[in-house]
Amino acid sequence: MKRPLILALGSLALTGWLIARATRRTCSFAGKVVLITGGSGGLGLVLARQFCAEGARVALLARDADQLARAQAELTQHGGDVLTISCDLLEREQIGAAVQTVVDHFGGLDVLVNNAGIIEVGPLEHMQREDFERSMDLHFWAPFDLIRQALPHLRRRGGGRIVNIASIGGRMAVPHLAPYCASKFALVGLSDALRAELARDRIHVTTVTPGLMQTGSEGNAKFKGDHDAEFTWFSLSTALPFTSIKAERAAAQIISACRRGLPSLTLPVAARAVVLGHALFPNTTASMMKVLNTVLLPSPAGPDGDTARSGHELRQ
C-alpha cells in the first residue's frame, strides 16, 4: 500500500510543479508602474535604482521628505521616471491616498513592493506592548492595507506582482528581536496565504525572507537594554561576509524572483541553509537559540534599558 501511495503523491507533486512552471510568466518591467515602500534609502532605494534601470516608472513611499527628495534627485539624474510621496504607513488613512496618488499620476499600478520596516533590538524584559504593536502595524497591517488598496488596480491591468520583503526572522525566531520576528512571521503567513487566492487573477505574490543584509540598517535600528552591547552584536552580525548579503546583489535577486513570479525567495545561501536546518531539526535549533541567548547575547540592563536609542545615536 505504501508504494502506490508514494507514487501517487510523487505524480501529484510533479503535475503541480509542471502546471506552476507552465503558468508562470516572466515579464519586462519597461514602462511598468512599481510602488516601493521604504524607498528613500537602504534596500528600497537600491531596488528603485534597478527597476529604473529596466525602464520602470517608480513611486517611492517613505516618511522623510528630505530623504525622498534626495532619492528622487539621484534617480531622475540617471533618467528615472520617479514619483515620491511622503507617507507615514502607521497612519492607515495615508495609505489609500498614497496609492491613489500613484495611480492618478502614472495611470495604473503593476508592481507593489512592501519593503518598509523597523528593527527593535533588545531583551524581552525591555520590550513593551507598544513595541510589538508598532512592529505589527508596519510589517503586517501596512502591507495588508497596501495590498487591499492595490488589488483593484492590479486586476484592471489583467494581473501584476506583489513582493513582500519579510525576513529570515519570519521563518525562525531570533532572541532579542521578539517584536520584529513576531511581525515578520505574520507577514510571511499573510503573503503565503494570499498567493493561492490571487493566482486566479494572474497576480503573483513573492515572499522574500532575506538573512542579514548590508544596508546600514544598524544605524536606523532602535536598541534597548545594554545599548552599546546590543548595538555591537547586531552591527557585527550584519557585517559578516558569509552570513550577510550586499543590498545590490539582494535587489537583483529579488527583482529576478519578481519577474519570474517565484513564490518564495530566501537569501543568501547561508540563510537558506539555516531555514532548512530549522525545518528539519526544530528542536536542535531551538536549543541553539537558548545557548545563543544565554552565552553570547547581552543580559538585561537597568531602568535606562527601557529607553530606545537609535544606532545613529550610539555611533556618536
Side-chain angles (χ1 to χ4, degrees):
M1 291 295 293
K2 290 184 178 179
R3 188 174 179 182
L5 178 60
I6 292 173
L7 290 174
L9 291 173
S11 300
L12 182 62
L14 178 60
T15 301
W17 179 79
L18 290 172
I19 292 173
R21 181 165 181 168
T23 56
R24 186 181 299 157
R25 295 289 184 268
T26 61
C27 70
S28 167
F29 293 117
K32 301 294 186 183
V33 179
V34 180
L35 170 57
I36 304 173
T37 68
S40 62
L43 177 63
L45 180 55
V46 178
L47 284 166
R49 291 184 189 126
Q50 296 189 16
F51 272 118
C52 285
E54 296 202 18
R57 296 176 291 170
V58 176
L60 303 179
L61 266 61
R63 287 187 301 174
D64 193 308
D66 292 335
Q67 288 185 1
L68 281 170
R70 287 193 291 271
Q72 184 175 34
E74 176 202 325
L75 296 170
T76 55
Q77 183 179 5
H78 292 88
D81 186 359
V82 181
L83 170 70
T84 60
I85 303 171
S86 181
C87 175
D88 186 350
L89 295 178
L90 298 178
E91 300 295 333
R92 185 177 180 184
E93 66 276 5
Q94 294 188 27
I95 291 176
V99 172
Q100 191 60 51
T101 298
V102 173
V103 173
D104 291 343
H105 181 83
F106 286 121
L109 180 62
D110 301 288
V111 181
L112 169 63
V113 181
N114 284 306
N115 167 71
I118 54 174
I119 302 177
E120 293 186 306
V121 184
L124 182 63
E125 287 86 340
H126 295 292
M127 295 296 174
Q128 308 300 320
R129 180 186 177 93
E130 291 75 15
D131 298 312
F132 285 86
E133 289 177 343
R134 185 164 50 250
S135 288
M136 285 295 297
D137 284 344
L138 187 57
H139 298 152
F140 177 79
W141 287 115
F144 174 84
D145 288 331
L146 280 156
I147 291 168
R148 290 291 295 270
Q149 294 290 336
L151 282 178
H153 305 292
L154 296 177
R155 287 177 175 132
R156 281 191 205 103
R157 300 286 231 196
R161 301 288 198 269
I162 296 172
V163 179
N164 294 317
I165 311 292
S167 167
I168 187 176
R171 300 284 188 189
M172 182 182 73
V174 179
H176 287 223
L177 288 168
Y180 181 81
C181 290
S183 58
K184 289 296 187 177
F185 261 88
L187 178 59
V188 168
L190 173 68
S191 186
D192 290 351
L194 292 178
R195 182 180 304 113
E197 296 200 40
L198 295 180
R200 62 187 176 189
D201 296 319
R202 291 188 291 181
I203 297 172
H204 300 274
V205 179
T206 299
T207 307
V208 181
T209 50
L212 300 170
M213 201 172 299
Q214 300 170 29
T215 62
S217 58
E218 66 274 10
N220 295 318
K222 300 288 186 180
F223 297 87
K224 287 188 169 186
D226 186 339
H227 299 98
D228 290 328
E230 296 287 351
F231 176 74
T232 297
W233 82 257
F234 186 79
S235 299
L236 290 175
S237 298
T238 60
L240 293 174
F242 298 107
T243 58
S244 60
I245 185 171
K246 292 184 177 179
E248 290 76 13
R249 185 179 173 194
Q253 292 185 34
I254 291 168
I255 290 176
S256 176
C258 176
R259 185 194 323 280
R260 292 180 289 157
L262 291 183
S264 180
L265 172 67
T266 301
L267 63 154
V269 173
R272 296 177 199 168
V274 169
V275 170
L276 178 61
H278 177 61
L280 295 174
F281 309 104
N283 292 330
T284 300
T285 54
S287 297
M288 291 173 60
M289 288 301 166
K290 292 177 184 178
V291 173
L292 171 66
N293 184 67
T294 303
V295 177
L296 296 178
L297 295 183
S299 299
D304 181 59
D306 292 337
T307 302
R309 298 177 62 188
S310 73
H312 291 305
E313 294 177 71
L314 296 169
R315 278 174 175 167
Q316 297 174 359

